[in-house]
mmCIF file of all heavy atoms in Angstrom:
data_model
loop_
_atom_site.group_PDB
_atom_site.id
_atom_site.type_symbol
_atom_site.label_atom_id
_atom_site.label_comp_id
_atom_site.label_asym_id
_atom_site.label_seq_id
_atom_site.Cartn_x
_atom_site.Cartn_y
_atom_site.Cartn_z
ATOM 1 N N MET A 247 16.672 152.015 223.631
ATOM 2 C CA MET A 247 17.948 151.327 223.746
ATOM 3 C C MET A 247 18.284 151.128 225.225
ATOM 4 O O MET A 247 18.209 152.064 226.025
ATOM 5 C CB MET A 247 19.060 152.137 223.064
ATOM 6 C CG MET A 247 20.421 151.477 223.105
ATOM 7 S SD MET A 247 21.695 152.420 222.239
ATOM 8 C CE MET A 247 21.076 152.323 220.554
ATOM 9 N N GLY A 253 28.554 143.990 230.456
ATOM 10 C CA GLY A 253 29.288 143.318 229.389
ATOM 11 C C GLY A 253 29.693 141.909 229.767
ATOM 12 O O GLY A 253 28.876 141.112 230.220
ATOM 13 N N LEU A 261 39.457 132.848 223.859
ATOM 14 C CA LEU A 261 39.624 132.750 222.408
ATOM 15 C C LEU A 261 40.988 133.274 221.984
ATOM 16 O O LEU A 261 41.582 134.124 222.635
ATOM 17 C CB LEU A 261 38.508 133.483 221.670
ATOM 18 C CG LEU A 261 38.439 135.015 221.716
ATOM 19 C CD1 LEU A 261 39.309 135.645 220.627
ATOM 20 C CD2 LEU A 261 37.000 135.484 221.546
ATOM 21 N N PRO A 290 22.558 172.374 203.952
ATOM 22 C CA PRO A 290 22.006 173.562 204.630
ATOM 23 C C PRO A 290 23.018 174.324 205.471
ATOM 24 O O PRO A 290 22.781 175.480 205.827
ATOM 25 C CB PRO A 290 20.899 172.978 205.520
ATOM 26 C CG PRO A 290 21.301 171.550 205.732
ATOM 27 C CD PRO A 290 21.974 171.128 204.463
ATOM 28 N N MET A 326 49.586 158.201 202.557
ATOM 29 C CA MET A 326 49.201 157.163 203.504
ATOM 30 C C MET A 326 49.119 155.785 202.851
ATOM 31 O O MET A 326 49.510 154.779 203.449
ATOM 32 C CB MET A 326 47.871 157.538 204.153
ATOM 33 C CG MET A 326 47.989 158.779 205.043
ATOM 34 S SD MET A 326 46.390 159.418 205.614
ATOM 35 C CE MET A 326 45.862 158.079 206.684
ATOM 36 N N ALA A 329 52.533 154.326 202.661
ATOM 37 C CA ALA A 329 53.018 153.843 203.959
ATOM 38 C C ALA A 329 52.379 152.507 204.321
ATOM 39 O O ALA A 329 53.058 151.608 204.849
ATOM 40 C CB ALA A 329 52.726 154.882 205.039
ATOM 41 N N ALA A 349 35.292 160.702 195.010
ATOM 42 C CA ALA A 349 36.731 160.395 194.980
ATOM 43 C C ALA A 349 36.934 158.913 194.715
ATOM 44 O O ALA A 349 37.786 158.269 195.335
ATOM 45 C CB ALA A 349 37.386 160.821 196.289
ATOM 46 N N ASN A 492 41.955 149.422 218.638
ATOM 47 C CA ASN A 492 41.537 150.166 217.449
ATOM 48 C C ASN A 492 42.343 151.446 217.333
ATOM 49 O O ASN A 492 42.480 152.187 218.309
ATOM 50 C CB ASN A 492 40.059 150.535 217.561
ATOM 51 C CG ASN A 492 39.173 149.329 217.723
ATOM 52 O OD1 ASN A 492 38.866 148.641 216.766
ATOM 53 N ND2 ASN A 492 38.768 149.048 218.958
ATOM 54 N N PHE A 509 51.498 158.603 211.735
ATOM 55 C CA PHE A 509 50.971 157.450 210.993
ATOM 56 C C PHE A 509 52.093 156.482 210.649
ATOM 57 O O PHE A 509 52.009 155.273 210.941
ATOM 58 C CB PHE A 509 50.296 157.965 209.721
ATOM 59 C CG PHE A 509 49.609 156.909 208.899
ATOM 60 C CD1 PHE A 509 48.478 156.270 209.378
ATOM 61 C CD2 PHE A 509 50.065 156.579 207.632
ATOM 62 C CE1 PHE A 509 47.822 155.314 208.615
ATOM 63 C CE2 PHE A 509 49.418 155.625 206.863
ATOM 64 C CZ PHE A 509 48.286 154.991 207.351
ATOM 65 N N ALA A 539 33.648 132.502 219.044
ATOM 66 C CA ALA A 539 32.762 132.678 220.196
ATOM 67 C C ALA A 539 31.314 132.599 219.738
ATOM 68 O O ALA A 539 30.599 133.598 219.687
ATOM 69 C CB ALA A 539 33.029 134.012 220.883
#
Side-chain angles (χ1 to χ4, degrees):
M247 181 178 295
L261 69 86
M326 293 171 67
N492 302 281
F509 184 68

